[in-house]
Amino acid sequence: MIQRAMGSVRVNRYSIVSTEEDGHKVSTLGSMNGHSRNGKGHAPRRKHRNRFVKKNGQCNVYFANLSNKSQRYMADIFTTCVDTRWRYMLMIFSAAFLMSWLFFGFLFWCIAFFHGDLNAPAVGGGPSLLKPCIMHVNSFLGAFLFSVETQTTIGYGFRCVTEECPLAIMAVVVQSIVGCVIDSFMIGTIMAKMARPKKRAQTLLFSHHAVISVRDGKLCLMWRVGNLRRSHIVEAHVRAQLIKPYMTEEGEYLPLDQRDLNVGYDVGLDRIFLVSPIIIVHEIDEESPLYGIGKEELETENFEIVVILEGMVEATAMTTQARSSYLASEILWGHRFEPVVFEEKNHYKVDYSRFHKTYEVAGTPCCSARELQESKMTILPSPPPPSAFCYENELALVSQDEDEDDDEVGVVLGGSTKEEGGVIQMMDFGSHLDLERLQATLPLDTISYRRESAI
């Protein structure tokens, strides 16, 4: 009997992404179909998985055995040139200019040759009764220089076409049109390549890791996105897909089955205002592909989560897309992201040195969301131990300025205008822990504090 599990080795006959090792076998794929593995015994080791989407957003896909590939690419030559690397594009346009100059230079040389201009007497050998088609073109080099001057509209005034040969006049007209077409195509391609929003994705960040922890009493998958530029991404929205092998009930093997992860599309939470870094949340519920995965199952899973951020560039109104991915080994169970936004005196400060950092949260359940639901467990916020302190609040207190401690922390430093002796008043923090934490930061001696403006 063939069991089905995600960490299985795939048969080359059906897989398009499997390796070419001998002795491949189809092993368990139980969690692939959304069922957790309840069997006993040693858990299989996670197999190394090639990324479908790299961390920089490039798709790790190679196309082979395409019929009429060259003809299809040449049919859409503009898109081909835009997608081509800069060095190849410059080589193509340089070759196009050089070929056009050589072709029309050879054409002008042939016109001069058959007209007899090349047999004209040298300078000082007497006047010639034959009027040339092109003045001062006596060799192929002269014809090539005339071709370059005509197409680039340099016009030195030394070489020119005469009315003697209508064919030469027609060649000049055709070359001028061809030169304009090449110039327009080159300028349009360069402008489209420079203005395309693909490079805008270089300033959109995704966190190195994704985390799974409890938020509002439910297990959630979270990752962080950020914008490094001050210009906004208009109509920004996010989506995510889970990619993993899947075996259908009929036995059909799908090596790259894609399933959506709900990030709040129904209630509009997928549309974000990306001014400061934002944590994207996927609630692991009954419809989530991660519903039957716990901490132990996550260590053996073989899937990839592709995250996508789309929006319009404010400067050009062109749609851009930034992509990244997280393997199962890059998801940290029981972690949260460190805060990066701090309130200053007149503005908010974003500390990007903490963008990728996480910290472990004690008390995160190790079981799956399905097991939590079946056991009717409710995750309630328990009172912190005596030695614990909220990490976000601690960072907020450390980052505050001395001038803001009076208003934000709630410590009123008395002066001689109200009460003598310096009376310290505190707000109700809701727990003795915050009071003890604050008292540890205050000096033991009673000192009268004043602002710098009052000194």
Side-chain angles (χ1 to χ4, degrees):
M1 171 178 161
I2 298 178
Q3 295 178 345
R4 299 184 264 186
M6 176 173 290
S8 63
V9 186
R10 298 180 288 262
V11 179
N12 291 335
R13 179 178 179 182
Y14 300 105
S15 175
I16 61 174
V17 294
S18 60
T19 57
E20 298 181 357
E21 299 177 357
D22 295 333
H24 280 195
K25 298 179 181 179
V26 177
S27 59
T28 63
L29 288 182
S31 58
M32 285 174 47
N33 296 339
H35 303 286
S36 61
R37 187 171 55 86
N38 298 325
K40 298 181 181 180
H42 180 68
R45 297 177 58 185
R46 179 190 289 126
K47 181 185 175 183
H48 174 71
R49 176 185 178 88
N50 292 327
R51 288 186 179 274
F52 187 66
V53 176
K54 299 180 180 180
K55 296 295 285 186
N56 59 1
Q58 296 181 356
C59 297
N60 190 22
V61 178
Y62 173 74
F63 300 102
N65 302 325
L66 291 178
S67 60
N68 301 326
K69 179 179 178 180
S70 301
Q71 292 82 349
R72 295 176 185 272
Y73 276 68
M74 291 300 297
D76 189 10
I77 185 64
F78 183 79
T79 304
T80 303
C81 291
V82 172
D83 293 339
T84 305
R85 294 181 179 272
W86 278 102
R87 53 180 177 270
Y88 298 135
M89 189 188 67
L90 295 178
M91 290 175 58
I92 291 174
F93 283 116
S94 298
F97 279 114
L98 184 60
M99 293 299 296
S100 64
W101 295 338
L102 289 174
F103 173 77
F104 285 100
F106 178 74
L107 181 60
F108 291 137
W109 180 82
C110 291
I111 294 174
F113 176 78
F114 288 108
H115 191 262
D117 297 344
L118 303 182
N119 299 326
V123 179
S128 176
L129 299 178
L130 180 63
K131 188 175 182 180
C133 292
I134 305 174
M135 300 294 296
H136 303 287
V137 174
N138 300 320
S139 63
F140 178 76
L141 184 59
F144 176 76
L145 292 176
F146 176 74
S147 174
V148 174
E149 294 176 11
T150 301
Q151 186 166 333
T152 57
T153 65
I154 294 177
Y156 289 120
F158 184 68
R159 298 178 180 86
C160 61
V161 65
T162 64
E163 66 275 7
E164 182 69 17
C165 298
L167 183 60
I169 298 175
M170 186 179 299
V172 171
V173 174
V174 172
Q175 185 179 12
S176 300
I177 296 175
V178 171
C180 291
V181 171
I182 297 177
D183 291 340
S184 302
F185 196 87
M186 181 189 66
I187 295 174
T189 304
I190 293 178
M191 290 299 298
K193 193 173 182 65
M194 293 178 61
R196 62 178 179 171
K198 183 178 180 180
K199 296 301 181 182
R200 182 63 173 88
Q202 302 297 326
T203 53
L204 298 175
L205 287 182
F206 292 91
S207 57
H208 292 331
H209 294 86
V211 299
I212 293 180
S213 62
V214 177
R215 173 171 285 195
D216 294 332
K218 299 180 180 179
L219 283 176
C220 297
L221 171 70
M222 294 174 284
W223 64 93
R224 179 182 276 165
V225 296
N227 181 18
L228 296 181
R229 290 188 180 273
R230 298 183 65 89
S231 58
H232 300 168
I233 298 295
V234 183
E235 295 293 334
H237 58 278
V238 294
R239 55 193 179 97
Q241 287 186 335
L242 187 140
I243 300 177
K244 63 179 180 180
Y246 177 74
M247 184 77 73
T248 64
E249 296 180 358
E250 295 78 15
E252 181 183 3
Y253 179 72
L254 305 177
L256 296 174
D257 181 58
Q258 301 182 12
R259 299 190 179 185
D260 289 335
L261 297 180
N262 188 8
V263 291
Y265 176 79
D266 299 335
V267 294
L269 295 179
D270 61 323
R271 296 186 294 271
I272 58 177
F273 183 50
L274 193 59
V275 176
S276 61
I278 295 178
I279 297 177
I280 308 302
V281 180
H282 163 66
E283 181 180 330
I284 304 178
D285 52 11
E286 294 83 354
E287 299 179 356
S288 173
L290 305 176
Y291 186 58
I293 297 178
K295 183 177 181 180
E296 294 183 358
E297 290 81 4
L298 183 64
E299 297 176 355
T300 59
E301 290 292 342
N302 185 23
F303 62 83
E304 179 179 359
I305 296 178
V306 178
V307 293
I308 302 172
L309 171 62
E310 293 179 334
M312 292 188 300
V313 181
E314 187 179 27
T316 60
M318 300 176 68
T319 303
T320 184
Q321 183 182 90
R323 299 179 294 268
S324 186
S325 67
Y326 301 102
L327 300 178
S329 58
E330 297 173 343
I331 300 177
L332 305 178
W333 190 282
H335 282 243
R336 290 179 186 170
F337 288 104
E338 291 190 2
V340 295
V341 180
F342 304 97
E343 185 176 3
E344 298 290 332
K345 186 175 182 180
N346 297 321
H347 60 276
Y348 290 90
K349 181 182 71 174
V350 178
D351 186 4
Y352 273 99
S353 64
R354 304 178 182 271
F355 183 83
H356 302 287
K357 294 182 180 180
T358 63
Y359 66 96
E360 188 173 1
V361 179
T364 303
C366 298
C367 58
S368 64
R370 170 182 292 173
E371 295 174 352
L372 288 177
Q373 180 68 21
E374 292 177 353
S375 60
K376 304 298 182 181
M377 293 177 57
T378 304
I379 306 176
L380 297 176
S382 58
S387 60
F389 185 68
C390 184
Y391 188 74
E392 290 87 348
N393 295 342
E394 183 176 6
L395 288 178
L397 289 175
V398 171
S399 65
Q400 286 175 347
D401 296 332
E402 294 182 358
D403 291 340
E404 298 175 339
D405 290 343
D406 299 340
D407 299 331
E408 298 179 1
V409 181
V411 180
V412 179
L413 304 179
S416 59
T417 57
K418 292 185 178 180
E419 297 180 3
E420 298 180 356
V423 179
I424 300 179
Q425 299 178 353
M426 298 184 180
M427 296 175 61
D428 185 10
F429 287 88
S431 66
H432 297 285
L433 175 62
D434 297 338
L435 180 60
E436 294 174 0
R437 185 78 179 186
L438 183 61
Q439 288 177 349
T441 61
L442 296 177
L444 298 178
D445 298 335
T446 304
I447 304 176
S448 178
Y449 290 87
R450 295 183 178 87
R451 295 183 177 272
E452 293 180 359
S453 60
I455 297 177

